[in-house]
Amino acid sequence: MNMLVMGVLGDFSTGVSELDDGLSMAISLMAGVVAFLGVYKLVIGVKNWSDANEEMDQARKSQGLNTIVSGVIMISVAAILAIFGITI
Amino acid sequence: MGVMCSIDLSLTGLLKSALELWMVFVESAWSLISKSPSTLASDAWILLRDNIWVFFKQVGSGLIPVCFLAGWLQESWDLKNDFDWQKMMLMFGRILVIEAVYSQTFTIISTFLTGVASTVSALSTGNDGESLFDLTTLKENTVATLPDVSGFSWAAIVGWLLALLSFIVALVSGIMIFYTVVARCFKIFVLIPIGALPLATIAGGKNMTRSAVAWLKEFLICSCEVLVIAVSLVIGVKFVSSGFISNALTTSSEDEFTQMIFAMLSVVFSLGIVAAFVKQADSFLRKVIV
């Protein structure tokens, strides 16, 4: 799967440096914003989980855990895309 | 199969020449629509496949992560929105599918176009294996409806002028049919590489796929337009040669002049209607494929 993916997207180059630079900048910028939102989600998730843990509310605890997992995925979106062969 | 085209300036000769000219264009158009773009202009197709498509695919490959992240941001920007890890997994799954399909896009497009050309060939073959596109009796059947107006008279002069008008109409309508078919071929050659860019937006999710859907719709219309043109030509030639319109435009008058006018008008209408419908094949399909 990785070889198939690398064959498509790998280290792309359009041959036009302005395009390559522009696309790389756009990807880096958006990945940074997604990671930032991921940090926010992680913090909120941890807070919700700890509040639910104090109140012994299982439903809110699992909701908080979902938010924590979502936040971690968003923070590591660059790493996940790298697995797919998209280098940022 | 060739159709000889010679211009005879007598009344009947002018009408026969008009029909011959129309048949030349229609036959040329027919030979184009039953071929796929790769066999039609193989050099241009190779240039498209090995150079132009490769460049646009590279740009599209760079756009895929951009569109993916843009779609992600659209979903996650509203922090009150329930964008949980399950939806994130779906988005990752989507980008994997897009990546796998994107590499095969040109092959899929090429196969589809070949299939459409084969469908046209199958469409034009009757159940007994004979070609449904038959121009052989067109000229004889159409000229047979023309009354014999000979000698120098006002009727003959007006008849000659009407025959000249028929010649012009045949020339214009034949060129219109041929141009429509050639323009469609050229449009496909330009549409294919451009498609690499809107198809990349599928990675962004449902909010960003409008470009891809629009391109797919345009490509579908452009590809299938040839089917409508093929049906129009097969049926149109039968209409013209069967005297469908000349039967409707009959007159009870026994005056040769009146009969001649109606016969000429029926030729003009027949050729013009077929050309008009071929020209409208594109807009006809746009109404059908919403």
Side-chain angles (χ1 to χ4, degrees):
Chain A
M1 170 74 94
N2 211 13
M3 286 193 61
L4 170 70
V5 164
M6 284 292 289
V8 174
L9 294 179
D11 283 332
F12 70 90
S13 172
T14 61
V16 180
S17 59
E18 288 86 357
L19 270 178
D20 288 341
D21 293 342
L23 287 172
S24 297
M25 202 182 327
I27 293 172
S28 303
L29 184 66
M30 284 195 278
V33 174
V34 169
F36 175 76
L37 290 173
V39 167
Y40 178 81
K41 248 180 143 56
L42 181 67
V43 167
I44 295 294
V46 167
K47 180 181 176 302
N48 288 343
W49 187 87
S50 63
D51 289 343
N53 194 34
E54 278 185 22
E55 294 167 12
M56 307 292 279
D57 185 344
Q58 289 297 325
R60 280 182 61 204
K61 273 176 74 173
S62 92
Q63 201 173 359
L65 200 60
N66 277 343
T67 309
I68 291 169
V69 170
S70 306
V72 167
I73 292 174
M74 285 177 73
I75 291 168
S76 52
V77 69
I80 296 173
L81 287 177
I83 295 171
F84 292 165
I86 302 168
T87 52
I88 296 176
Chain B
M1 136 181 155
V3 176
M4 294 296 295
C5 179
S6 59
I7 301 177
D8 178 355
L9 291 179
S10 66
L11 192 153
T12 311
L14 207 54
L15 187 61
K16 282 186 182 174
S17 301
L19 288 168
E20 277 181 358
L21 194 64
W22 190 80
M23 284 157 60
V24 164
F25 282 113
V26 168
E27 203 177 11
S28 305
W30 184 262
S31 68
L32 290 179
I33 64 174
S34 52
K35 289 181 186 169
S36 67
S38 54
T39 50
L40 201 63
S42 52
D43 288 344
W45 186 256
I46 290 169
L47 174 72
L48 177 71
R49 183 192 64 199
D50 296 341
N51 292 287
I52 301 174
W53 169 259
V54 169
F55 172 76
F56 276 96
K57 191 178 109 175
Q58 288 291 93
V59 176
S61 300
L63 278 178
I64 285 178
V66 172
C67 294
F68 172 78
L69 289 169
W72 189 291
L73 277 173
Q74 267 190 331
E75 294 279 353
S76 62
W77 192 256
D78 183 5
L79 292 166
K80 293 177 189 169
N81 193 10
D82 186 21
F83 184 53
D84 55 14
W85 64 273
Q86 285 98 339
K87 289 181 185 171
M88 293 176 191
M89 290 299 115
L90 276 175
M91 288 195 74
F92 284 125
R94 184 188 298 124
I95 197 173
L96 279 177
V97 170
I98 297 298
E99 287 177 4
V101 172
Y102 201 73
S103 63
Q104 302 301 320
T105 304
F106 194 85
T107 309
I108 295 169
I109 288 172
S110 179
T111 308
F112 180 74
L113 290 171
T114 306
V116 169
S118 303
T119 306
V120 171
S121 300
L123 180 75
S124 64
T125 307
N127 293 334
D128 50 2
E130 286 185 4
S131 174
L132 298 177
F133 182 70
D134 184 16
L135 292 170
T136 51
T137 58
L138 174 71
K139 198 167 60 177
E140 284 73 23
N141 289 353
T142 310
V143 175
T145 62
L146 191 69
D148 184 23
V149 179
S150 55
F152 183 78
S153 63
W154 285 113
I157 292 172
V158 173
W160 189 89
L161 287 172
L162 282 174
L164 185 64
L165 175 66
S166 302
F167 185 85
I168 294 170
V169 168
L171 179 67
V172 170
S173 61
I175 289 175
M176 201 188 299
I177 291 172
F178 187 73
Y179 169 79
T180 303
V181 173
V182 171
R184 175 246 169 199
C185 296
F186 188 73
K187 193 174 169 184
I188 284 186
F189 272 88
V190 175
L191 202 58
I192 288 173
I194 299 294
L197 304 180
L199 286 176
T201 62
I202 296 176
K206 63 177 186 289
N207 294 327
M208 298 192 69
T209 55
R210 273 188 228 114
S211 306
V213 169
W215 181 88
L216 277 170
K217 181 180 164 186
E218 188 65 30
F219 177 72
L220 203 62
I221 288 171
C222 203
S223 310
C224 297
E225 184 185 351
V226 73
L227 293 173
V228 177
I229 292 173
V231 170
S232 304
L233 289 179
V234 166
I235 295 179
V237 165
K238 283 293 179 196
F239 268 10
V240 175
S241 61
S242 67
F244 168 73
I245 294 178
S246 65
N247 290 340
L249 283 179
T250 52
T251 172
S252 57
S253 169
E254 292 182 356
D255 179 23
E256 283 182 345
F257 177 67
T258 311
Q259 289 179 353
M260 180 193 61
I261 289 178
F262 273 79
M264 292 285 189
L265 282 177
S266 71
V267 171
V268 168
F269 274 133
S270 305
L271 303 185
I273 283 172
V274 173
F277 202 79
V278 166
K279 189 82 175 78
Q280 287 174 11
D282 179 66
S283 57
F284 174 80
L285 266 182
R286 282 181 199 283
K287 290 173 192 168
V288 172
I289 302 176
V290 178

